[in-house]
Amino acid sequence: MNPTAAISVRGLRKSFGDHVVLDGLDLTVPEGSVFALLGPNGSGKTTTVDILATLTPPDGGEVRIAGSDVVREPRAVRSAIAVTGQFTAVDNLLTGAENLRLVADLLHLGRRTGTARAAELLDRFDLTEAAATSPTTYSGGMRRKLDLAMGLMGEPRVVFLDEPTTGLDPRSRRAVWDVVRGLVADGVTVLLTTQYLEEADQLADRIGVLDGGRLVAEGTSAELKRLVPGGSLRLQFTDRRPLDAAARVLRGATVDADALALEVPSDGSVRALRDVLARLDDAAAEVANLTVHQPDLDDVFLALTGRTTDEKVTTP
């Protein structure tokens, strides 16, 4: 186990009856980073979060959150985390401010400390004007921000977000992304499960693809995209002379004569780019414009799992 990691998982196993959900999952998340866990519906993303948050017992393996073991030290783990599920835990009978003060009372923060912390979070999430009204009047994005604020009342070191933007419109989704970025800027560690590949691309320092109860791939967004063939460089020229010269030295490239462009297969790496530019320089073929095209995370996900994110894993 990594003692400096905020989340450290080794050999995590979990079954429900004869259905194996997690089969030896290994995972490490450094402090102050965002890790996005991707997987088809039914792949075990929510089960993973539930185990890490002490809500479901594991069948085997070892899990430590903020240095504490989830099985032997669950109270220490709970004091260090916040959990936001797919559905908000907001009480519609209370105002926004009252929801926060209720959490403060549950955490035994004291009236003065709780009131100050609630005011701070309402301001941080731009909810001050709506603080005295019922969440029934809130937009989906506002409800999600209030839900996150409630989880942050205890100043957690690790935050689990299980598909936090499901059902939100694009504007509200981006508002939640800004909240996540703010958490990380404050040193909080975030583990995020999502079906929105753009969300993982925007937020995550590292991404893990969960399939068959194991991580089948892990890395930065750029690293994962390089796993899938199909990347290319598009070179644009001002006239036919440099285009023809480039085509002669870059064998295997596809010529688009009408557009004065050349499509060169490439993994998009710096090394590959330098090689192409060196060949063009030797051929005195001046490029007017260069664009790198890589497979996106949708391509990566489909190639690794054989499914799209909204396809459900079938139980054998």
Coordinates of all heavy atoms in Angstrom, one line a residue, residues 111-183:
R111 N -23.1 25.8 17.1 CA -23.9 26.7 16.4 C -23.1 27.8 15.6 O -23.3 28.1 14.5 CB -24.9 27.4 17.3 CG -25.9 28.3 16.7 CD -26.7 27.7 15.5 NE -27.4 26.5 15.9 CZ -28.6 26.5 16.4 NH1 -29.3 27.7 16.5 NH2 -29.2 25.4 16.7
R112 N -22.1 28.4 16.4 CA -21.4 29.5 15.7 C -20.5 28.9 14.6 O -20.5 29.5 13.5 CB -20.5 30.1 16.8 CG -19.6 31.3 16.2 CD -18.8 32.0 17.3 NE -19.7 32.6 18.3 CZ -19.2 33.3 19.3 NH1 -17.9 33.3 19.5 NH2 -20.1 33.8 20.2
T113 N -19.8 27.8 14.8 CA -19.0 27.3 13.7 C -19.8 26.8 12.6 O -19.5 27.1 11.4 CB -18.1 26.1 14.3 OG1 -17.3 26.5 15.4 CG2 -17.3 25.5 13.2
G114 N -20.9 26.2 12.8 CA -21.8 25.7 11.8 C -22.4 26.8 10.9 O -22.4 26.7 9.7
T115 N -22.8 27.8 11.6 CA -23.4 29.0 10.9 C -22.4 29.6 10.0 O -22.7 30.0 8.8 CB -24.0 30.0 11.8 OG1 -25.0 29.4 12.6 CG2 -24.6 31.2 11.1
A116 N -21.2 29.8 10.5 CA -20.1 30.4 9.7 C -19.7 29.5 8.5 O -19.5 30.0 7.4 CB -18.9 30.7 10.6
R117 N -19.6 28.2 8.8 CA -19.2 27.3 7.7 C -20.3 27.3 6.6 O -20.0 27.3 5.4 CB -19.0 25.9 8.3 CG -18.6 24.9 7.2 CD -17.3 25.1 6.7 NE -16.9 24.0 5.8 CZ -16.0 24.1 4.8 NH1 -15.4 25.3 4.6 NH2 -15.7 23.1 4.1
A118 N -21.6 27.3 7.0 CA -22.7 27.3 6.1 C -22.7 28.6 5.2 O -22.8 28.5 4.0 CB -24.0 27.2 6.8
A119 N -22.4 29.7 5.8 CA -22.4 31.0 5.1 C -21.2 31.0 4.1 O -21.3 31.5 3.0 CB -22.2 32.1 6.1
E120 N -20.1 30.4 4.5 CA -18.9 30.3 3.7 C -19.2 29.5 2.4 O -18.9 29.9 1.3 CB -17.8 29.7 4.4 CG -16.5 29.5 3.6 CD -15.5 28.6 4.3 OE1 -15.6 28.6 5.6 OE2 -14.7 28.0 3.7
L121 N -19.9 28.4 2.6 CA -20.2 27.5 1.5 C -21.2 28.0 0.6 O -21.2 27.9 -0.7 CB -20.6 26.1 2.0 CG -19.4 25.3 2.6 CD1 -19.9 24.1 3.4 CD2 -18.4 24.9 1.5
L122 N -22.2 28.7 1.2 CA -23.3 29.3 0.3 C -22.7 30.4 -0.6 O -23.0 30.5 -1.8 CB -24.4 29.9 1.2 CG -25.3 28.9 1.9 CD1 -26.1 29.7 3.0 CD2 -26.2 28.3 0.9
D123 N -21.7 31.1 0.0 CA -21.1 32.1 -0.8 C -20.2 31.5 -1.9 O -20.2 31.9 -3.1 CB -20.2 33.0 0.1 CG -19.5 34.1 -0.7 OD1 -20.1 35.0 -1.3 OD2 -18.2 34.1 -0.7
R124 N -19.5 30.5 -1.5 CA -18.5 29.8 -2.4 C -19.3 29.2 -3.6 O -18.8 29.2 -4.8 CB -17.8 28.7 -1.7 CG -16.8 27.9 -2.5 CD -16.1 26.9 -1.7 NE -15.1 26.1 -2.5 CZ -14.3 25.2 -1.9 NH1 -14.3 25.0 -0.6 NH2 -13.5 24.5 -2.7
F125 N -20.5 28.6 -3.4 CA -21.2 28.0 -4.5 C -22.3 28.9 -5.1 O -23.1 28.4 -5.8 CB -21.9 26.7 -4.0 CG -20.9 25.6 -3.6 CD1 -21.2 24.8 -2.6 CD2 -19.7 25.5 -4.3 CE1 -20.3 23.8 -2.2 CE2 -18.8 24.5 -4.0 CZ -19.1 23.6 -2.9
D126 N -22.2 30.2 -4.8 CA -23.1 31.2 -5.4 C -24.5 30.9 -5.1 O -25.4 30.9 -5.9 CB -22.8 31.3 -6.9 CG -23.4 32.5 -7.5 OD1 -23.6 33.5 -6.8 OD2 -23.7 32.5 -8.7
L127 N -24.8 30.5 -3.8 CA -26.2 30.2 -3.4 C -26.7 31.1 -2.3 O -27.8 30.9 -1.7 CB -26.2 28.7 -2.8 CG -25.9 27.6 -3.8 CD1 -25.8 26.3 -3.1 CD2 -27.0 27.5 -4.9
T128 N -26.0 32.2 -2.0 CA -26.4 33.1 -0.9 C -27.8 33.6 -1.1 O -28.6 33.7 -0.2 CB -25.4 34.2 -0.8 OG1 -24.1 33.6 -0.5 CG2 -25.8 35.1 0.4
E129 N -28.1 34.1 -2.4 CA -29.4 34.7 -2.6 C -30.5 33.7 -2.5 O -31.7 34.1 -2.2 CB -29.4 35.3 -4.0 CG -28.5 36.5 -4.2 CD -28.6 37.2 -5.5 OE1 -29.5 36.8 -6.3 OE2 -27.9 38.2 -5.8
A130 N -30.2 32.4 -2.7 CA -31.3 31.4 -2.6 C -31.3 30.7 -1.3 O -32.1 29.7 -1.1 CB -31.0 30.3 -3.7
A131 N -30.4 31.1 -0.3 CA -30.3 30.4 0.9 C -31.5 30.3 1.7 O -31.8 29.3 2.5 CB -29.2 31.1 1.8
A132 N -32.4 31.3 1.6 CA -33.6 31.3 2.5 C -34.8 30.7 1.8 O -35.9 30.7 2.3 CB -33.9 32.8 2.9
T133 N -34.6 30.1 0.6 CA -35.7 29.5 -0.1 C -35.6 28.0 -0.1 O -34.5 27.4 0.1 CB -35.8 30.0 -1.5 OG1 -34.6 29.7 -2.2 CG2 -36.0 31.5 -1.5
S134 N -36.7 27.3 -0.4 CA -36.7 25.9 -0.5 C -36.0 25.4 -1.8 O -36.1 26.0 -2.8 CB -38.2 25.3 -0.5 OG -38.2 24.0 -0.9
P135 N -35.3 24.2 -1.7 CA -34.6 23.7 -2.8 C -35.6 23.3 -4.0 O -35.1 23.0 -5.1 CB -33.9 22.4 -2.3 CG -33.7 22.8 -0.8 CD -34.9 23.5 -0.4
T136 N -36.9 23.2 -3.7 CA -37.8 22.9 -4.7 C -37.8 24.0 -5.8 O -38.3 23.8 -6.9 CB -39.3 22.8 -4.2 OG1 -39.6 24.0 -3.5 CG2 -39.4 21.6 -3.2
T137 N -37.4 25.2 -5.4 CA -37.3 26.3 -6.4 C -36.0 26.4 -7.2 O -35.8 27.2 -8.0 CB -37.5 27.7 -5.7 OG1 -36.4 27.9 -4.8 CG2 -38.8 27.6 -4.9
Y138 N -35.0 25.5 -6.8 CA -33.7 25.5 -7.4 C -33.7 24.8 -8.7 O -34.5 23.9 -9.0 CB -32.7 24.8 -6.5 CG -32.4 25.5 -5.2 CD1 -33.1 26.6 -4.7 CD2 -31.3 25.0 -4.4 CE1 -32.7 27.2 -3.5 CE2 -31.0 25.6 -3.2 CZ -31.7 26.7 -2.7 OH -31.4 27.3 -1.5
S139 N -32.7 25.2 -9.6 CA -32.5 24.5 -10.8 C -31.7 23.2 -10.4 O -31.2 23.0 -9.3 CB -31.6 25.3 -11.7 OG -30.3 25.5 -11.2
G140 N -31.6 22.3 -11.4 CA -30.8 21.1 -11.1 C -29.4 21.3 -10.7 O -28.9 20.7 -9.8
G141 N -28.8 22.3 -11.4 CA -27.4 22.6 -11.0 C -27.3 23.2 -9.6 O -26.3 22.9 -8.9
M142 N -28.2 24.0 -9.2 CA -28.2 24.6 -7.9 C -28.4 23.5 -6.8 O -27.8 23.5 -5.7 CB -29.3 25.7 -7.7 CG -29.0 26.9 -8.5 SD -30.5 28.0 -8.6 CE -30.6 28.5 -6.8
R143 N -29.3 22.6 -7.1 CA -29.5 21.5 -6.1 C -28.3 20.6 -6.0 O -27.9 20.2 -4.9 CB -30.7 20.6 -6.6 CG -32.1 21.2 -6.4 CD -33.2 20.3 -7.0 NE -33.2 19.0 -6.2 CZ -33.9 18.9 -5.1 NH1 -34.7 19.9 -4.6 NH2 -34.0 17.8 -4.4
R144 N -27.6 20.4 -7.1 CA -26.4 19.6 -7.0 C -25.3 20.4 -6.2 O -24.5 19.8 -5.4 CB -25.9 19.3 -8.4 CG -24.5 18.6 -8.5 CD -24.5 17.3 -7.7 NE -25.3 16.2 -8.3 CZ -25.6 15.1 -7.7 NH1 -25.3 14.9 -6.5 NH2 -26.4 14.2 -8.3
K145 N -25.2 21.7 -6.4 CA -24.2 22.5 -5.7 C -24.5 22.5 -4.2 O -23.6 22.4 -3.4 CB -24.1 23.9 -6.2 CG -23.5 24.0 -7.6 CD -23.0 25.4 -8.0 CE -24.2 26.3 -8.2 NZ -23.7 27.6 -8.7
L146 N -25.8 22.6 -3.8 CA -26.2 22.5 -2.4 C -25.8 21.1 -1.8 O -25.3 21.1 -0.7 CB -27.7 22.8 -2.3 CG -28.2 22.7 -0.8 CD1 -27.5 23.7 0.1 CD2 -29.7 22.9 -0.8
D147 N -26.1 20.1 -2.6 CA -25.8 18.7 -2.2 C -24.2 18.6 -1.9 O -23.8 18.0 -0.9 CB -26.2 17.7 -3.2 CG -26.1 16.3 -2.8 OD1 -26.5 16.0 -1.6 OD2 -25.7 15.4 -3.5
L148 N -23.4 19.2 -2.8 CA -22.0 19.1 -2.6 C -21.6 20.0 -1.4 O -20.7 19.6 -0.6 CB -21.3 19.7 -3.9 CG -21.3 18.8 -5.1 CD1 -20.8 19.5 -6.3 CD2 -20.3 17.6 -4.8
A149 N -22.2 21.1 -1.2 CA -21.9 22.0 -0.1 C -22.2 21.2 1.2 O -21.4 21.3 2.2 CB -22.7 23.3 -0.2
M150 N -23.3 20.5 1.3 CA -23.6 19.7 2.5 C -22.5 18.7 2.8 O -22.2 18.5 3.9 CB -25.0 19.0 2.3 CG -26.2 20.0 2.2 SD -27.7 19.3 1.6 CE -28.0 18.0 2.9
G151 N -22.0 18.1 1.7 CA -20.9 17.1 2.0 C -19.7 17.7 2.4 O -18.8 17.1 3.1
L152 N -19.5 19.0 2.1 CA -18.2 19.7 2.5 C -18.3 20.4 3.8 O -17.3 21.0 4.2 CB -17.9 20.7 1.4 CG -17.6 20.2 0.0 CD1 -17.3 21.3 -1.0 CD2 -16.4 19.2 0.0
M153 N -19.4 20.3 4.5 CA -19.5 21.0 5.8 C -18.4 20.5 6.8 O -17.9 21.2 7.6 CB -20.9 20.7 6.4 CG -22.0 21.6 5.8 SD -21.8 23.3 6.1 CE -22.1 23.4 7.9
G154 N -18.1 19.2 6.7 CA -17.0 18.6 7.6 C -15.6 18.8 7.1 O -14.7 18.2 7.7
E155 N -15.4 19.6 6.0 CA -14.1 19.8 5.5 C -13.3 18.5 5.2 O -12.3 18.2 5.7 CB -13.2 20.7 6.4 CG -13.8 22.1 6.6 CD -13.0 23.0 7.4 OE1 -12.1 23.7 6.7 OE2 -13.0 23.0 8.6
P156 N -13.9 17.7 4.3 CA -13.3 16.4 4.0 C -12.0 16.5 3.2 O -11.8 17.5 2.5 CB -14.4 15.7 3.2 CG -15.1 16.8 2.5 CD -15.1 17.9 3.5
R157 N -11.2 15.5 3.4 CA -9.9 15.4 2.6 C -10.1 14.6 1.3 O -9.3 14.8 0.4 CB -8.8 14.7 3.5 CG -8.5 15.5 4.7 CD -7.8 14.7 5.8 NE -6.6 14.0 5.3 CZ -5.9 13.1 5.9 NH1 -6.4 12.6 7.1 NH2 -4.8 12.6 5.4
V158 N -11.1 13.8 1.3 CA -11.4 13.0 0.1 C -12.9 13.1 -0.2 O -13.7 12.9 0.7 CB -11.0 11.5 0.3 CG1 -11.3 10.6 -0.9 CG2 -9.5 11.3 0.7
V159 N -13.2 13.3 -1.5 CA -14.6 13.4 -1.9 C -14.9 12.4 -3.0 O -14.1 12.3 -4.0 CB -14.9 14.8 -2.4 CG1 -16.3 14.9 -3.0 CG2 -14.7 15.9 -1.3
F160 N -15.9 11.6 -2.8 CA -16.4 10.7 -3.8 C -17.6 11.2 -4.5 O -18.6 11.6 -3.9 CB -16.7 9.3 -3.2 CG -15.6 8.7 -2.5 CD1 -15.6 8.5 -1.1 CD2 -14.5 8.2 -3.2 CE1 -14.5 7.9 -0.4 CE2 -13.5 7.5 -2.6 CZ -13.5 7.4 -1.2
L161 N -17.5 11.3 -5.8 CA -18.6 11.9 -6.6 C -19.1 10.8 -7.6 O -18.4 10.4 -8.6 CB -18.2 13.1 -7.4 CG -17.6 14.3 -6.6 CD1 -17.2 15.4 -7.5 CD2 -18.6 14.8 -5.6
D162 N -20.2 10.2 -7.3 CA -20.7 9.1 -8.1 C -21.7 9.6 -9.2 O -22.9 9.9 -8.9 CB -21.4 8.0 -7.2 CG -21.8 6.8 -8.0 OD1 -21.3 6.6 -9.1 OD2 -22.6 6.0 -7.5
E163 N -21.2 9.8 -10.4 CA -22.0 10.4 -11.5 C -22.7 11.6 -11.1 O -24.0 11.7 -11.1 CB -23.0 9.3 -12.0 CG -22.2 8.1 -12.6 CD -23.1 7.1 -13.3 OE1 -24.2 7.6 -13.8 OE2 -22.8 6.0 -13.5
P164 N -22.0 12.7 -10.6 CA -22.6 13.8 -10.0 C -23.3 14.7 -11.0 O -24.1 15.6 -10.6 CB -21.4 14.6 -9.5 CG -20.2 14.2 -10.4 CD -20.5 12.8 -10.7
T165 N -23.1 14.6 -12.3 CA -23.8 15.5 -13.2 C -24.8 14.8 -14.1 O -25.3 15.4 -15.1 CB -22.8 16.2 -14.2 OG1 -22.1 15.2 -14.9 CG2 -21.8 17.0 -13.4
T166 N -25.2 13.6 -13.7 CA -26.3 12.9 -14.4 C -27.6 13.7 -14.5 O -28.0 14.1 -13.4 CB -26.5 11.5 -13.8 OG1 -25.3 10.7 -13.9 CG2 -27.7 10.8 -14.5
G167 N -28.1 13.9 -15.7 CA -29.4 14.6 -15.8 C -29.3 16.1 -15.8 O -30.3 16.8 -16.0
L168 N -28.1 16.7 -15.6 CA -27.9 18.1 -15.6 C -27.8 18.6 -17.1 O -27.2 18.0 -17.9 CB -26.7 18.5 -14.8 CG -26.7 18.2 -13.3 CD1 -25.5 18.8 -12.6 CD2 -28.0 18.8 -12.7
D169 N -28.2 19.9 -17.3 CA -28.0 20.5 -18.6 C -26.5 20.9 -18.7 O -25.8 21.0 -17.7 CB -28.9 21.7 -18.8 CG -28.7 22.8 -17.7 OD1 -27.7 23.5 -17.8 OD2 -29.4 22.8 -16.7
P170 N -26.0 21.2 -19.9 CA -24.6 21.5 -20.1 C -24.1 22.7 -19.2 O -23.0 22.6 -18.7 CB -24.5 21.9 -21.6 CG -25.6 21.1 -22.2 CD -26.7 21.1 -21.2
R171 N -24.9 23.7 -19.0 CA -24.5 24.8 -18.2 C -24.3 24.4 -16.7 O -23.3 24.8 -16.1 CB -25.5 26.0 -18.3 CG -25.1 27.2 -17.5 CD -26.1 28.3 -17.7 NE -25.8 29.5 -17.0 CZ -26.5 30.6 -17.0 NH1 -27.6 30.7 -17.7 NH2 -26.1 31.7 -16.2
S172 N -25.3 23.7 -16.2 CA -25.2 23.2 -14.8 C -24.0 22.2 -14.7 O -23.3 22.2 -13.6 CB -26.5 22.5 -14.4 OG -27.6 23.4 -14.4
R173 N -23.8 21.4 -15.7 CA -22.7 20.5 -15.6 C -21.4 21.2 -15.5 O -20.5 20.9 -14.7 CB -22.7 19.6 -16.9 CG -21.7 18.5 -16.8 CD -21.8 17.6 -18.0 NE -23.2 17.0 -18.1 CZ -23.9 16.8 -19.1 NH1 -23.4 17.1 -20.3 NH2 -25.1 16.2 -19.1
R174 N -21.2 22.3 -16.2 CA -20.0 23.0 -16.2 C -19.8 23.8 -14.9 O -18.7 24.0 -14.4 CB -19.9 24.0 -17.4 CG -19.5 23.3 -18.6 CD -19.7 24.1 -19.9 NE -19.1 23.5 -21.1 CZ -19.7 22.4 -21.7 NH1 -20.8 21.9 -21.2 NH2 -19.1 21.9 -22.7
A175 N -20.9 24.1 -14.3 CA -20.9 24.8 -12.9 C -20.4 23.8 -11.9 O -19.6 24.1 -11.0 CB -22.3 25.3 -12.5
V176 N -20.8 22.5 -12.0 CA -20.3 21.5 -11.1 C -18.8 21.2 -11.4 O -18.0 21.0 -10.4 CB -21.1 20.2 -11.3 CG1 -20.5 19.0 -10.4 CG2 -22.5 20.4 -10.8
W177 N -18.4 21.3 -12.6 CA -17.0 21.1 -12.9 C -16.1 22.2 -12.3 O -15.0 21.9 -11.7 CB -16.8 21.2 -14.4 CG -17.3 20.0 -15.2 CD1 -18.0 18.9 -14.7 CD2 -17.4 19.9 -16.6 NE1 -18.4 18.1 -15.7 CE2 -18.0 18.6 -16.9 CE3 -16.9 20.7 -17.7 CZ2 -18.2 18.2 -18.2 CZ3 -17.1 20.2 -19.0 CH2 -17.7 19.0 -19.3
D178 N -16.6 23.4 -12.3 CA -15.9 24.5 -11.6 C -15.8 24.2 -10.1 O -14.7 24.5 -9.5 CB -16.6 25.8 -11.8 CG -16.5 26.3 -13.3 OD1 -15.6 25.9 -14.0 OD2 -17.3 27.1 -13.7
V179 N -16.8 23.6 -9.5 CA -16.8 23.3 -8.1 C -15.7 22.3 -7.8 O -14.9 22.4 -6.9 CB -18.1 22.8 -7.6 CG1 -18.0 22.2 -6.2 CG2 -19.2 23.9 -7.6
V180 N -15.6 21.2 -8.7 CA -14.6 20.2 -8.5 C -13.2 20.8 -8.7 O -12.3 20.5 -7.9 CB -14.8 19.1 -9.6 CG1 -13.7 18.1 -9.5 CG2 -16.1 18.4 -9.3
R181 N -13.0 21.6 -9.6 CA -11.7 22.3 -9.8 C -11.3 23.1 -8.6 O -10.1 23.1 -8.2 CB -11.7 23.1 -11.1 CG -11.8 22.4 -12.4 CD -11.7 23.3 -13.6 NE -11.9 22.6 -14.8 CZ -13.0 22.6 -15.6 NH1 -14.0 23.5 -15.2 NH2 -13.1 22.0 -16.7
G182 N -12.3 23.7 -8.0 CA -12.0 24.5 -6.8 C -11.6 23.6 -5.6 O -10.8 24.0 -4.8
L183 N -12.3 22.5 -5.5 CA -11.9 21.5 -4.4 C -10.4 21.1 -4.6 O -9.7 21.0 -3.6 CB -12.8 20.3 -4.5 CG -14.3 20.5 -4.1 CD1 -15.1 19.2 -4.4 CD2 -14.4 20.9 -2.7

